[in-house]
Structure formats: C-alpha cells, structure tokens
Amino acid sequence: MRYATLHLDGSPHVAASDGDGFRVTAGGAGRSLDELLSLAPEERRRALQPGDRAPVDARLAVPVRPATIVAIGLNYLDHIRETGMERPQRPLVFAKLRSSVVGPGDAIRIDASLTQEVDWEVELAAVIGARACRVAPDAALSCVFGYTVANDVSARDIQFSDGQWVRAKSLDTFCPLGPVLVSSDEIGDPQRLGLRTRVNGRTVQASTTAEMVFGVAQLISFCSQSFTLEPGDVVLTGTPWGCGAFMKPPQFLRPGDVVEAEVDRIGTLRNHVMAA
C-alpha cells in the first residue's frame, strides 16, 4: 500500500492507494500519518482503511512529520571511497531537528548569511511502525511500517567548521521527505533498491542500497540498543557517492536549482531551491 498526506479543505488528510488512485482513509481526515501510526494496532488498521476517493489534483504534503529523525553518516561504500575516509566500525549516528522537515514541492531555502556550500544527499528513509527498544537485527525490520525518500540537505561549510553535524543538517527546510510512504510489505528487501539524485535534470548520484555498510535492520537494531524508536520516527540510512562537496571542482545548490531525489518503488521527491 502507498500512503500520502494530502492538502484538502485547508487541513491534512491521510490517503492510501493500491494502484487505483488515492482514497482518504477512514480515520485520516484532518490528521497526519504520524498521528495514525501512534494508534494501537487494531485502531490503526481501521483508521488506515481506504474510504472516499480523493480529488486527483490534491497536493501532496510531507507524508510524516516525525518527532525524532535519526540519521546515519558514511554508510555507503562508494561514498566512503569518494570521501577518502575510513570505513566506520559501527554506525555513525546523528540527528536532524523536526523543524527541518518539508514535503514534496516545497522549497529548500538557503540563507546566504549562514552557508555558501549546500549539498544534496538522497537517502532511503525507514519509518518506524512499532516501538523498537533493544531489538535484535533479525527482528528489526518488523518494526518498520514503511519507507519514503529523504534528501539529507547539508551545509558543508557549517558541518566541517562546527566539528559536529546537527546544525549543518538541521537548518530550516533541510530535510525534505516524500513524496509518499510505501508499506514495508510492498518494498520487501530494502537492500535491493536503486537510488538517484538529479540537479536541474543532470544525474549526480546513482547507486543502490546494496552498497550500505550497515543494512536497515542493523541500523534499527543498533540505534534501539541506546534509545527507543517510537512509531512515526524516521531513520535516514545514509547517502551514496556523488555529493557535490567531493566533486572536482566542488558543486553546491544555488537559488533557482531543482533537485530530485529518487528511490526505486517509492518515487521521486522534487524540491526547488530559493534564497531564504
């Protein structure tokens, strides 16, 4: 099943589609998907049942607005090779703030007084559906409700000067998510997905989740040993080669650019870039 949050009648509505167009779910009017994910399992099942057909021109909003966004650095072998850094011995975990989240079609806004080096990072995002606390790797994927596309937008000059990553990764609008959330049963093995980034139509990233150092199950298990992941939380699983900071010469996003992050079987997350 594919889930979306739609702008309807001035409020969010959760909708579902199995290929027959989107239908507003039974409990989705005026609510967000992260609200429905926090319900008890049987109540959630009823709330997510497709109902009336949604207008075909309804605008997509961010599918989930998580309370917690956990992100992973240096998790693709091809990205490690392009950076020249050492392969991590355990997942490199950081956080992005909730205020950085925007949806499909929203602007990535660059404040030139803060940063001149804004980079793109396509990522597979795992959306938690069941409380994960000290779960084993072989049980971790059962805690995933579904997957969406993320662009882990990064201010490289801030990142490298701060020495830690939260501020550089959490500027307002620096976490686009979308366009939809696809249930985990429809995705199957998350380590067999192609992912790409295009900037103004030119492909700058093209890889596969098979390049991950630590797979999705390992990441969720590792994080859950230290902190509990709740339904609606999002885990960004890392980005492959092709980041602008490591090109020769380096390339960065500028106002007027259009960036598209794409993951197989989920879709394309498209955002334009504007000056703040």
Side-chain angles (χ1 to χ4, degrees), residues 255-269:
D257 287 345
V258 174
V259 57
E260 296 171 295
E262 180 181 29
V263 177
D264 288 351
R265 305 181 69 180
I266 300 175
T268 301
L269 172 62

Side-chain angles (χ1 to χ4, degrees), residues 111 113-117 154-169 171 174:
D111 185 341
S113 70
L114 292 174
T115 176
Q116 298 288 323
E117 299 181 356
S154 306
R156 298 298 189 192
D157 40 5
I158 297 176
Q159 180 182 0
F160 298 147
S161 65
D162 278 4
Q164 56 82 28
W165 298 1
V166 175
R167 185 167 73 105
K169 301 277 192 170
L171 299 183
F174 273 31

Side-chain angles (χ1 to χ4, degrees), residues 145-202:
F145 178 80
Y147 300 90
T148 190
V149 184
N151 187 349
D152 178 18
V153 182
S154 306
R156 298 298 189 192
D157 40 5
I158 297 176
Q159 180 182 0
F160 298 147
S161 65
D162 278 4
Q164 56 82 28
W165 298 1
V166 175
R167 185 167 73 105
K169 301 277 192 170
S170 297
L171 299 183
D172 289 348
T173 74
F174 273 31
C175 189
L177 296 173
V180 297
L181 186 156
V182 181
S183 58
S184 56
D185 61 324
E186 191 167 312
I187 292 295
D189 184 356
Q191 306 310 142
R192 296 185 178 183
L193 299 172
L195 62 174
R196 291 159 290 279
T197 301
R198 292 180 294 275
V199 177
N200 301 326
R202 180 173 69 93

Side-chain angles (χ1 to χ4, degrees):
M1 190 73 75
R2 302 172 73 82
Y3 296 95
T5 299
L6 305 177
H7 285 295
L8 290 173
D9 304 321
S11 64
H13 285 58
V14 178
S17 172
D18 58 4
D20 182 30
F22 281 106
R23 296 176 179 272
V24 176
T25 63
R31 304 173 81 178
S32 61
L33 184 54
D34 41 290
E35 287 182 81
L36 300 189
L37 291 180
S38 67
L39 300 174
E42 184 57 30
E43 187 180 1
R44 178 204 293 175
R45 187 191 65 78
R46 292 194 299 268
L48 289 175
Q49 288 298 308
D52 295 336
R53 190 177 296 277
V56 294
D57 59 349
R59 186 168 76 86
L60 290 171
V62 61
V64 290
R65 191 172 291 278
T68 298
I69 307 163
V70 179
I72 308 296
L74 290 177
N75 195 40
Y76 275 72
L77 294 170
D78 50 14
H79 182 45
I80 292 169
R81 289 192 293 270
E82 77 170 344
T83 64
M85 299 179 186
E86 293 185 6
R87 175 174 173 162
Q89 298 303 303
R90 59 180 181 273
L92 194 152
V93 180
F94 62 97
K96 288 175 78 83
L97 301 183
R98 187 174 191 262
S99 54
S100 66
V101 173
V102 292
D106 292 337
I108 298 168
R109 297 182 181 272
I110 297 176
D111 185 341
S113 70
L114 292 174
T115 176
Q116 298 288 323
E117 299 181 356
V118 177
D119 208 346
W120 53 81
E121 291 191 10
V122 62
E123 306 207 9
L124 175 67
V127 180
I128 302 299
R131 193 170 188 264
C133 179
R134 299 184 181 275
V135 296
D138 59 1
L141 291 185
S142 67
C143 298
V144 177
F145 178 80
Y147 300 90
T148 190
V149 184
N151 187 349
D152 178 18
V153 182
S154 306
R156 298 298 189 192
D157 40 5
I158 297 176
Q159 180 182 0
F160 298 147
S161 65
D162 278 4
Q164 56 82 28
W165 298 1
V166 175
R167 185 167 73 105
K169 301 277 192 170
S170 297
L171 299 183
D172 289 348
T173 74
F174 273 31
C175 189
L177 296 173
V180 297
L181 186 156
V182 181
S183 58
S184 56
D185 61 324
E186 191 167 312
I187 292 295
D189 184 356
Q191 306 310 142
R192 296 185 178 183
L193 299 172
L195 62 174
R196 291 159 290 279
T197 301
R198 292 180 294 275
V199 177
N200 301 326
R202 180 173 69 93
T203 299
V204 291
Q205 289 184 284
S207 189
T208 168
T209 54
E211 283 282 309
M212 284 187 189
V213 178
F214 306 101
V216 176
Q218 291 173 285
L219 294 175
I220 292 170
S221 176
F222 178 84
C223 291
S224 77
Q225 307 307 312
S226 299
F227 47 83
T228 300
L229 296 167
E230 299 287 357
D233 289 347
V234 168
V235 178
L236 308 189
T237 57
T239 198
W241 75 275
C243 295
F246 304 101
M247 293 180 174
K248 299 184 190 305
Q251 300 179 28
F252 299 108
L253 294 173
R254 296 287 182 257
D257 287 345
V258 174
V259 57
E260 296 171 295
E262 180 181 29
V263 177
D264 288 351
R265 305 181 69 180
I266 300 175
T268 301
L269 172 62
R270 185 177 188 272
N271 299 92
H272 57 287
V273 182
M274 297 179 62

